[in-house]
């Protein structure tokens, strides 16, 4: 499609957008009295209007039923988490039995490492990407130390080539083959948090398995953002937070995928708790742990239903819309953002560079833009003038126009504000 950088054209795209009405289902923060142009869905998704109703429902049940709410609430609390599996499975391409929701992301990655990082003999190394999200670096390093290894030796980082912004799949595969039978685990971010690069998860998972390693994915920036086929790709495990593209609310619960081949394995190491116990027998309070026969076996504590409520509200919207419609709009709105950025760059004589891959198969919603020169001033100008976006050192802004609630007009208006920001900086 041939794009134009004009208000009329953007508004026409909005008219043709089948998801346009969903914008009204979210609450936008205000800047200078007006709805913000919200490009930070990669950090914290907006609040769905239905979220409050779901929370109120639990508050009401708690007030009226007290402890009886566990079994007698309209959505009983004791199995509240089970409402997620089917719908989340559609978001991440899994069987419902392979998905559960619990705890928070880093906590779940630690718990999954208990099952899937089992160093033995010469197989003890973990392959991850360089400059992984800091929490992943701390998590991996502490796991390695827990098992008595030196992180310097046991953690192998995949590097980018000098002068390049993104990882090359061939370099990842070569590193996996090089580490070979010393590799116990490959654990990488499915979508790079800094650049928005989407990893070739299928190919990398296959390569990891060929060396005999387990392969897991941190899907913080992937869930609800890109097409995932975790079962088909034969991924061993994955976890994601829900507060980014899944719009569940700050710090909210994490989803987990555990491949069905590990369910019902009697000897799999796992930290256990009563919510992972066979639900039919849970309240018999028996001494011996009898795991559930699905991913719920990894559950530990009773579910924090007040936190889960807004997540459920949001997930029901995902189920209603479906990932394929979201992805269709995502491709178009991100292509439009890329077009507008390039138009503005021409007008202001090249002051920035998009570092996210240009191939649609290698990116999701996020475009990361390297601002040459006084980037922070431009970032501040954008924030002051109605655009919410985020800043990453040394000079990168991340823009994620979530297809659920962003409009093409947002993109056009953002372009105009960016241009004004750059021009006013050049003048000063
Ligand atoms: C890629 C990645 N991994 C891990 C985390 C940590 O998430 P949490 O604080 O929910 O454990 C984040 C948070 O933004 C993230 O972006």
């Amino acid at each position: 499609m041939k794009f134009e950088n004009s208000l009329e054209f953007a508004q026409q795209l909005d008219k043709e957008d089948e998801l346009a009405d969903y914008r009204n289902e979210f609450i936008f923060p205000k800047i200078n009295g007006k709805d913000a142009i919200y490009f930070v869905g990669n950090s914290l998704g907006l609040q769905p209007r239905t979220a409050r109703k779901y929370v109120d429902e639990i508050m009401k049940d708690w007030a009226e039923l007290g402890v009886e709410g566990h079994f007698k609430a309209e959505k009983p609390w004791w199995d509240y988490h089970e409402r997620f599996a089917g719908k989340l499975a559609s978001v991440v391409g899994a069987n419902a039995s392979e998905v559960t929701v619990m705890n928070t992301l880093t906590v779940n990655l630690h718990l999954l490492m208990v099952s899937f990082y089992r160093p033995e003999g010469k197989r003890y190394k973990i392959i991850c990407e360089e400059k992984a999200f800091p929490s992943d670096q701390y998590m991996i390093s502490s796991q390695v130390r827990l098992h008595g290894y030196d992180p310097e030796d046991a953690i192998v980082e995949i590097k980018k080539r000098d002068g390049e912004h993104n990882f090359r799949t061939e370099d990842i595969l070569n590193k996996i083959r090089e580490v070979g039978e010393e590799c116990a685990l490959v654990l990488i971010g499915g979508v790079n948090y800094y650049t928005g690069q989407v990893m070739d998860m299928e190919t990398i998972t296959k390569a990891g398995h060929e060396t005999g390693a387990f392969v897991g994915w941190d899907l913080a920036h992937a869930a609800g953002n890109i097409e995932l086929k975790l079962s088909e790709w034969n991924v061993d495990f994955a976890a994601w937070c829900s507060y980014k593209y899944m719009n569940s609310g700050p710090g909210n619960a994490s989803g987990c995928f555990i491949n069905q081949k590990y369910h019902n394995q009697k000897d799999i190491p796992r930290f256990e708790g009563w919510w992972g116990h066979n639900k039919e027998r849970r309240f018999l309070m028996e001494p011996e742990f009898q795991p559930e026969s699905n991913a719920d076996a990894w559950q530990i504590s009773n579910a924090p239903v007040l936190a889960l409520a807004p997540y459920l509200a949001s997930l029901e919207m995902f189920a209603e819309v479906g990932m394929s419609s979201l992805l269709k709009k995502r491709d178009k709105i991100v292509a439009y953002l890329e077009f507008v950025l390039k138009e503005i760059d021409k007008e202001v004589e090249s002051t920035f560079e998009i570092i996210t891959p240009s191939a649609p198969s290698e990116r999701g919603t996020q475009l990361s833009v390297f601002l040459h020169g006084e980037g922070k001033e431009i970032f501040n100008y954008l924030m002051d003038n109605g655009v919410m976006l985020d800043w990453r050192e040394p000079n990168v802004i991340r823009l994620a126009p979530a297809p659920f609630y962003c409009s093409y007009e947002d993109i056009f208006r953002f372009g105009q504000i960016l241009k004004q920001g750059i021009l006013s900086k050049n003048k000063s």
Side-chain angles (χ1 to χ4, degrees), residues 104-106 133 135-136 193 218 220-221 241 243-244:
T104 45
L105 174 55
T106 310
F133 190 81
S135 199
D136 289 9
Y193 82 96
D218 173 346
H221 288 261
C241 53
Y243 42 80
K244 298 178 185 292

PDB file of all heavy atoms in Angstrom, residues 104-106 133 135-136 193 218 220-221 241 243-244, ligand 1:
ATOM      1  N   THR A 104       5.188 -13.985  39.141  1.00  0.00           N
ATOM      2  CA  THR A 104       5.612 -12.934  38.218  1.00  0.00           C
ATOM      3  C   THR A 104       6.761 -13.484  37.357  1.00  0.00           C
ATOM      4  O   THR A 104       7.260 -14.576  37.616  1.00  0.00           O
ATOM      5  CB  THR A 104       6.069 -11.689  39.003  1.00  0.00           C
ATOM      6  OG1 THR A 104       6.891 -12.137  40.074  1.00  0.00           O
ATOM      7  CG2 THR A 104       4.899 -10.905  39.545  1.00  0.00           C
ATOM      8  N   LEU A 105       7.147 -12.723  36.352  1.00  0.00           N
ATOM      9  CA  LEU A 105       8.008 -13.302  35.319  1.00  0.00           C
ATOM     10  C   LEU A 105       9.350 -13.840  35.827  1.00  0.00           C
ATOM     11  O   LEU A 105       9.683 -15.006  35.604  1.00  0.00           O
ATOM     12  CB  LEU A 105       8.230 -12.262  34.198  1.00  0.00           C
ATOM     13  CG  LEU A 105       9.224 -12.648  33.111  1.00  0.00           C
ATOM     14  CD1 LEU A 105       8.868 -13.972  32.470  1.00  0.00           C
ATOM     15  CD2 LEU A 105       9.283 -11.562  32.051  1.00  0.00           C
ATOM     16  N   THR A 106      10.126 -12.997  36.510  1.00  0.00           N
ATOM     17  CA  THR A 106      11.459 -13.468  36.920  1.00  0.00           C
ATOM     18  C   THR A 106      11.329 -14.635  37.895  1.00  0.00           C
ATOM     19  O   THR A 106      12.109 -15.599  37.842  1.00  0.00           O
ATOM     20  CB  THR A 106      12.277 -12.315  37.550  1.00  0.00           C
ATOM     21  OG1 THR A 106      12.218 -11.176  36.678  1.00  0.00           O
ATOM     22  CG2 THR A 106      13.720 -12.705  37.748  1.00  0.00           C
ATOM     23  N   PHE A 133      17.913  -8.640  29.093  1.00  0.00           N
ATOM     24  CA  PHE A 133      17.255  -7.785  30.084  1.00  0.00           C
ATOM     25  C   PHE A 133      17.917  -8.040  31.451  1.00  0.00           C
ATOM     26  O   PHE A 133      18.139  -9.196  31.816  1.00  0.00           O
ATOM     27  CB  PHE A 133      15.761  -8.104  30.125  1.00  0.00           C
ATOM     28  CG  PHE A 133      14.984  -7.112  30.931  1.00  0.00           C
ATOM     29  CD1 PHE A 133      14.616  -5.897  30.384  1.00  0.00           C
ATOM     30  CD2 PHE A 133      14.660  -7.383  32.251  1.00  0.00           C
ATOM     31  CE1 PHE A 133      13.918  -4.961  31.140  1.00  0.00           C
ATOM     32  CE2 PHE A 133      13.963  -6.451  33.013  1.00  0.00           C
ATOM     33  CZ  PHE A 133      13.590  -5.233  32.450  1.00  0.00           C
ATOM     34  N   SER A 135      17.179  -8.307  34.509  1.00  0.00           N
ATOM     35  CA  SER A 135      16.632  -9.291  35.447  1.00  0.00           C
ATOM     36  C   SER A 135      17.008 -10.707  34.994  1.00  0.00           C
ATOM     37  O   SER A 135      17.306 -11.584  35.820  1.00  0.00           O
ATOM     38  CB  SER A 135      15.103  -9.149  35.533  1.00  0.00           C
ATOM     39  OG  SER A 135      14.620  -9.757  36.695  1.00  0.00           O
ATOM     40  N   ASP A 136      17.039 -10.935  33.691  1.00  0.00           N
ATOM     41  CA  ASP A 136      17.431 -12.245  33.176  1.00  0.00           C
ATOM     42  C   ASP A 136      18.914 -12.503  33.464  1.00  0.00           C
ATOM     43  O   ASP A 136      19.308 -13.617  33.816  1.00  0.00           O
ATOM     44  CB  ASP A 136      17.183 -12.334  31.665  1.00  0.00           C
ATOM     45  CG  ASP A 136      15.693 -12.406  31.337  1.00  0.00           C
ATOM     46  OD1 ASP A 136      14.884 -12.209  32.267  1.00  0.00           O
ATOM     47  OD2 ASP A 136      15.340 -12.657  30.180  1.00  0.00           O
ATOM     48  N   TYR A 193      14.242  -6.760  24.016  1.00  0.00           N
ATOM     49  CA  TYR A 193      13.542  -5.627  24.640  1.00  0.00           C
ATOM     50  C   TYR A 193      14.072  -4.290  24.135  1.00  0.00           C
ATOM     51  O   TYR A 193      13.349  -3.289  24.115  1.00  0.00           O
ATOM     52  CB  TYR A 193      13.669  -5.687  26.179  1.00  0.00           C
ATOM     53  CG  TYR A 193      14.957  -5.140  26.736  1.00  0.00           C
ATOM     54  CD1 TYR A 193      15.038  -3.833  27.201  1.00  0.00           C
ATOM     55  CD2 TYR A 193      16.115  -5.906  26.782  1.00  0.00           C
ATOM     56  CE1 TYR A 193      16.215  -3.310  27.699  1.00  0.00           C
ATOM     57  CE2 TYR A 193      17.293  -5.399  27.279  1.00  0.00           C
ATOM     58  CZ  TYR A 193      17.341  -4.097  27.732  1.00  0.00           C
ATOM     59  OH  TYR A 193      18.512  -3.572  28.219  1.00  0.00           O
ATOM     60  N   ASP A 218      12.167 -16.229  27.189  1.00  0.00           N
ATOM     61  CA  ASP A 218      11.548 -15.138  27.943  1.00  0.00           C
ATOM     62  C   ASP A 218      10.691 -14.377  26.931  1.00  0.00           C
ATOM     63  O   ASP A 218      11.216 -13.741  26.011  1.00  0.00           O
ATOM     64  CB  ASP A 218      12.651 -14.237  28.539  1.00  0.00           C
ATOM     65  CG  ASP A 218      12.086 -12.977  29.189  1.00  0.00           C
ATOM     66  OD1 ASP A 218      10.899 -12.650  28.958  1.00  0.00           O
ATOM     67  OD2 ASP A 218      12.840 -12.290  29.908  1.00  0.00           O
ATOM     68  N   ALA A 220       8.529 -11.858  27.494  1.00  0.00           N
ATOM     69  CA  ALA A 220       7.991 -10.602  28.032  1.00  0.00           C
ATOM     70  C   ALA A 220       7.504  -9.675  26.919  1.00  0.00           C
ATOM     71  O   ALA A 220       6.437  -9.084  27.009  1.00  0.00           O
ATOM     72  CB  ALA A 220       9.051  -9.887  28.859  1.00  0.00           C
ATOM     73  N   HIS A 221       8.317  -9.557  25.864  1.00  0.00           N
ATOM     74  CA  HIS A 221       7.982  -8.615  24.788  1.00  0.00           C
ATOM     75  C   HIS A 221       7.314  -9.309  23.604  1.00  0.00           C
ATOM     76  O   HIS A 221       7.120  -8.698  22.556  1.00  0.00           O
ATOM     77  CB  HIS A 221       9.246  -7.881  24.325  1.00  0.00           C
ATOM     78  CG  HIS A 221       9.715  -6.889  25.339  1.00  0.00           C
ATOM     79  ND1 HIS A 221       9.437  -5.554  25.257  1.00  0.00           N
ATOM     80  CD2 HIS A 221      10.384  -7.066  26.507  1.00  0.00           C
ATOM     81  CE1 HIS A 221       9.931  -4.938  26.301  1.00  0.00           C
ATOM     82  NE2 HIS A 221      10.514  -5.835  27.085  1.00  0.00           N
ATOM     83  N   CYS A 241       5.485 -11.808  31.062  1.00  0.00           N
ATOM     84  CA  CYS A 241       4.706 -10.973  31.965  1.00  0.00           C
ATOM     85  C   CYS A 241       3.458 -10.555  31.190  1.00  0.00           C
ATOM     86  O   CYS A 241       3.395 -10.697  29.970  1.00  0.00           O
ATOM     87  CB  CYS A 241       5.507  -9.763  32.425  1.00  0.00           C
ATOM     88  SG  CYS A 241       6.211  -8.825  31.070  1.00  0.00           S
ATOM     89  N   TYR A 243       1.841  -7.443  31.761  1.00  0.00           N
ATOM     90  CA  TYR A 243       1.503  -6.015  31.883  1.00  0.00           C
ATOM     91  C   TYR A 243       1.912  -5.206  30.666  1.00  0.00           C
ATOM     92  O   TYR A 243       1.626  -4.019  30.605  1.00  0.00           O
ATOM     93  CB  TYR A 243       2.141  -5.414  33.150  1.00  0.00           C
ATOM     94  CG  TYR A 243       3.561  -5.845  33.430  1.00  0.00           C
ATOM     95  CD1 TYR A 243       4.629  -5.272  32.773  1.00  0.00           C
ATOM     96  CD2 TYR A 243       3.826  -6.849  34.373  1.00  0.00           C
ATOM     97  CE1 TYR A 243       5.925  -5.671  33.033  1.00  0.00           C
ATOM     98  CE2 TYR A 243       5.121  -7.258  34.641  1.00  0.00           C
ATOM     99  CZ  TYR A 243       6.171  -6.678  33.968  1.00  0.00           C
ATOM    100  OH  TYR A 243       7.449  -7.090  34.226  1.00  0.00           O
ATOM    101  N   LYS A 244       2.591  -5.839  29.710  1.00  0.00           N
ATOM    102  CA  LYS A 244       3.005  -5.086  28.512  1.00  0.00           C
ATOM    103  C   LYS A 244       1.870  -5.154  27.483  1.00  0.00           C
ATOM    104  O   LYS A 244       0.845  -4.514  27.650  1.00  0.00           O
ATOM    105  CB  LYS A 244       4.316  -5.645  27.979  1.00  0.00           C
ATOM    106  CG  LYS A 244       5.463  -5.528  28.976  1.00  0.00           C
ATOM    107  CD  LYS A 244       6.723  -6.127  28.419  1.00  0.00           C
ATOM    108  CE  LYS A 244       7.846  -6.136  29.437  1.00  0.00           C
ATOM    109  NZ  LYS A 244       8.355  -4.822  29.795  1.00  0.00           N
TER     110      LYS A 244
HETATM  111  C1  LIG B   1      12.602  -9.079  28.784  1.00  0.00           C
HETATM  112  C2  LIG B   1      12.196  -8.955  30.220  1.00  0.00           C
HETATM  113  N1  LIG B   1      12.481  -9.943  31.067  1.00  0.00           N
HETATM  114  C3  LIG B   1      12.169  -9.865  32.371  1.00  0.00           C
HETATM  115  C4  LIG B   1      11.504  -8.768  32.878  1.00  0.00           C
HETATM  116  C5  LIG B   1      11.201  -8.718  34.346  1.00  0.00           C
HETATM  117  O1  LIG B   1       9.869  -8.843  34.629  1.00  0.00           O
HETATM  118  P1  LIG B   1       9.300  -8.983  36.126  1.00  0.00           P
HETATM  119  O2  LIG B   1       9.659  -7.733  36.866  1.00  0.00           O
HETATM  120  O3  LIG B   1       7.823  -9.104  35.936  1.00  0.00           O
HETATM  121  O4  LIG B   1       9.921 -10.178  36.734  1.00  0.00           O
HETATM  122  C6  LIG B   1      11.143  -7.727  32.016  1.00  0.00           C
HETATM  123  C7  LIG B   1      10.412  -6.545  32.534  1.00  0.00           C
HETATM  124  O5  LIG B   1      10.167  -5.571  31.874  1.00  0.00           O
HETATM  125  C8  LIG B   1      11.508  -7.818  30.655  1.00  0.00           C
HETATM  126  O6  LIG B   1      11.233  -6.829  29.798  1.00  0.00           O
END
